[in-house]
Amino acid sequence: MSFIGDNGMTIWCAINCAGGNSISDSHGVSSTARVQSGTYTINFSTAIGNNNYCVLAQSGADRDTWADGDDTNDQGCIVLKRYTGYTRLGGPDWDDGATGDPHKFYMGVFSTAR
């Protein structure tokens, strides 16, 4: 069970990035867009009152193991920018620093400004 409301997560989503760009589950997200390799915009259904909110995000490969040099599965996650109507996530590669698409992004937003 999840809690959404005051002092709880206001927006969240899971994005399938590998082989396309689709939302597998979400709350408060209207759409996502792949800006370029490793860069995604998550559009909010309703704008937040200001851009001083907290984004918790991670990338995932849906695997049990990882090895250095495994270029299709070693993407990290960084919050690039917060705007009132959307946020932007990036996927740096852990072993060579290049941008790249992770298999998935998972993101949650905490804000008291509505």
Side-chain angles (χ1 to χ4, degrees):
M1 180 170 96
S2 64
F3 171 75
I4 298 172
D6 288 344
N7 300 315
M9 196 173 301
T10 58
I11 298 169
W12 58 268
C13 72
I15 306 165
N16 295 316
C17 304
N21 171 42
S22 64
I23 299 171
S24 59
D25 206 353
S26 71
H27 172 79
V29 172
S30 61
S31 64
T32 62
R34 182 180 183 265
V35 177
Q36 64 186 24
S37 176
T39 305
Y40 287 78
T41 296
I42 296 88
N43 297 299
F44 305 151
S45 299
T46 303
I48 296 176
N50 62 50
N51 62 359
N52 296 320
Y53 53 86
C54 177
V55 178
L56 299 177
Q58 71 179 54
S59 62
D62 289 340
R63 294 177 49 161
D64 291 325
T65 62
W66 175 81
D68 189 37
D70 191 2
D71 285 330
T72 60
N73 294 295
D74 65 345
Q75 304 308 117
C77 181
I78 184 171
V79 177
L80 296 171
K81 186 72 174 176
R82 293 178 311 276
Y83 298 92
T84 58
Y86 65 94
T87 193
R88 194 162 277 171
L89 302 178
D93 188 295
W94 288 123
D95 57 7
D96 64 17
T99 60
D101 294 318
H103 281 268
K104 295 187 182 213
F105 272 136
Y106 303 94
M107 182 212 64
V109 172
F110 292 86
S111 176
T112 57
R114 306 231 174 156

